[in-house]
Amino acid sequence: MKKKIIVVFTLLVMLINGCSLDSDPAVVTDEVTIIAPSSVGGGWDLTARTIQDILISENLLDGDIRVMNKIGAGGELGWKYTKQQKDHVLAINSSLLITNNLLGQSKLTYKDFTPIATLATEWEVVIVSKDSSISSAKSLMENLKKTPHAYKIGVSPRLGNDDQLSFVLASKQAGLPPEELEFFVYENSGQVVDALLKKQIDVATMTLSEAKKYYDLNQVKLLVISSKERLNELPEIPTWSEEGIELVFEHWRGIMGPPNMTKDEIQFWDRTIGEMVKTEKWQQTLQKYMWNDFYKNSSETSKFLDEQAKLYEVLMGG
């Protein structure tokens, strides 16, 4: 009789607390789609496929997961698609979600989505072709000051992103009016480098992970990096401060969902992404691409986006 009373009491406690025999049920058990709002091989795509790989290989998700590339308008098409979804769809984002709106290129804002996580940051670099006569970022800026239209500068996927903004901020520091610079926009970093090698442009600005593969192939020179100090992995690459310009600039990427996601869904992704960034495979990814760990959960990301919106408004209005 005593044993029977204990069992009944336990079941009552579970019912009162809203528990079940599986106390932590997965919210997402069917197919998940991650939108990479760019072509294959870009930073957004690389981030999406890395998440896909780790969630599958580490058994962090019960359902299937796929990556869908929605290309166009500097992320706009992919993010518009994400906003319209009600099923399990997430999208990779970056500061371009904020700057597109500030530049009047999009009506979308970060407030149109559910923040899921901020994942990592990386540094910006300036590159030239291997046989370019440009030997340093300092000489580049000095030449641009004399003749602003002397060099064509490549950027992707849209004006107003961190690639362009980091170069603009450096040029301001050098006393060069940014509006006199000639920027040429390409769909992705691969097209930028292709134009660089074909002499269609003279200089390019992009993230380190996008540029490094071409550097490793001995196709480009890295003139400068936006980090505070030289990287141990690339000790030969000087910082902007070493080139006489006080600039430290980090580019971040994160992940978000459609509006009106439920509390349970948000908690599920907090738990799942939180586990992902603890895995050895994620740490290896950070090391491989020289990304910096910058994980923030949903609520932390919400505050971070508010801060970033104010920051970019100042940077782009100054």
Side-chain angles (χ1 to χ4, degrees), residues 4 20 28 30 33 105 126 154 169 188 196 202 231 233 240 263:
K4 187 174 181 180
S20 68
V28 178
D30 51 4
T33 300
Q105 296 173 337
V126 176
L169 292 175
N188 55 52
L196 193 66
D202 306 289
L231 302 186
E233 300 88 345
W240 275 113
K263 184 178 179 181

Side-chain angles (χ1 to χ4, degrees), residues 1-207:
M1 177 65 70
K2 194 172 185 181
K3 185 176 180 181
K4 187 174 181 180
I5 292 173
I6 292 173
V7 171
V8 171
F9 177 76
T10 302
L11 289 172
L12 282 172
V13 170
M14 290 171 69
L15 288 170
I16 291 169
N17 290 331
C19 297
S20 68
L21 294 176
D22 179 4
S23 61
D24 190 21
V27 173
V28 178
T29 56
D30 51 4
E31 185 176 79
V32 174
T33 300
I34 301 180
I35 302 300
S38 64
S39 56
V40 175
W44 288 327
D45 177 73
L46 181 61
T47 305
R49 294 183 190 280
T50 298
I51 294 170
Q52 176 194 39
D53 175 54
I54 297 177
L55 292 183
I56 292 172
S57 62
E58 299 293 323
N59 297 314
L60 295 175
L61 194 71
D62 291 338
D64 294 328
I65 185 166
R66 64 170 180 152
V67 172
M68 180 188 296
N69 294 86
K70 286 280 185 180
I71 307 164
E76 178 84 354
L77 296 186
W79 293 330
K80 274 186 176 179
Y81 175 84
T82 303
K83 184 185 177 184
Q84 296 164 356
Q85 304 308 302
K86 293 183 179 179
D87 295 325
H88 302 307
V89 174
L90 304 175
I92 304 300
N93 63 16
S94 69
S95 60
L96 203 55
L97 180 66
I98 296 171
T99 58
N100 275 353
N101 179 263
L102 291 176
L103 289 170
Q105 296 173 337
S106 173
K107 293 182 179 180
L108 292 175
T109 78
Y110 67 97
K111 294 182 179 180
D112 290 317
F113 301 90
T114 301
I116 297 299
T118 312
L119 297 169
T121 65
E122 65 173 316
W123 305 114
E124 297 284 344
V125 295
V126 176
I127 68 173
V128 294
S129 63
K130 188 65 179 178
D131 58 357
S132 172
S133 60
I134 303 170
S135 59
S136 69
K138 185 175 182 180
S139 64
L140 169 64
M141 289 299 175
E142 288 174 349
N143 290 337
L144 281 171
K145 284 176 72 174
K146 295 174 186 175
T147 314
H149 298 288
Y151 300 118
K152 297 176 180 178
I153 307 161
V155 65
S156 71
R158 197 174 215 181
L159 294 180
N161 73 340
D162 280 349
D163 299 347
Q164 188 209 17
L165 184 57
S166 61
F167 195 94
V168 165
L169 292 175
S171 69
K172 281 185 176 181
Q173 288 267 6
L176 177 66
E179 60 272 14
E180 295 188 19
L181 297 173
E182 284 194 90
F183 286 99
F184 291 77
V185 183
Y186 296 84
E187 185 179 289
N188 55 52
S189 58
Q191 290 185 7
V192 172
V193 173
D194 186 56
L196 193 66
L197 299 180
K198 290 178 179 177
K199 312 300 182 186
Q200 295 169 354
I201 57 175
D202 306 289
V203 184
T205 172
M206 62 182 62
T207 60

Side-chain angles (χ1 to χ4, degrees), residues 254-304:
I255 192 164
M256 63 188 184
N260 303 317
M261 288 178 69
T262 67
K263 184 178 179 181
D264 284 345
E265 286 178 299
I266 295 169
Q267 289 177 344
F268 170 82
W269 287 115
D270 270 347
R271 182 170 64 251
T272 302
I273 301 298
E275 287 298 318
M276 184 197 79
V277 298
K278 294 176 185 175
T279 64
E280 182 63 28
K281 203 161 186 177
W282 177 253
Q283 298 306 313
Q284 290 171 353
T285 298
L286 296 177
Q287 186 175 4
K288 177 180 179 180
Y289 297 114
M290 286 177 282
W291 293 348
N292 306 303
D293 182 22
F294 199 60
Y295 173 67
K296 297 179 184 298
N297 65 19
S298 180
S299 61
E300 292 166 337
T301 295
S302 180
K303 295 175 184 176
F304 173 70

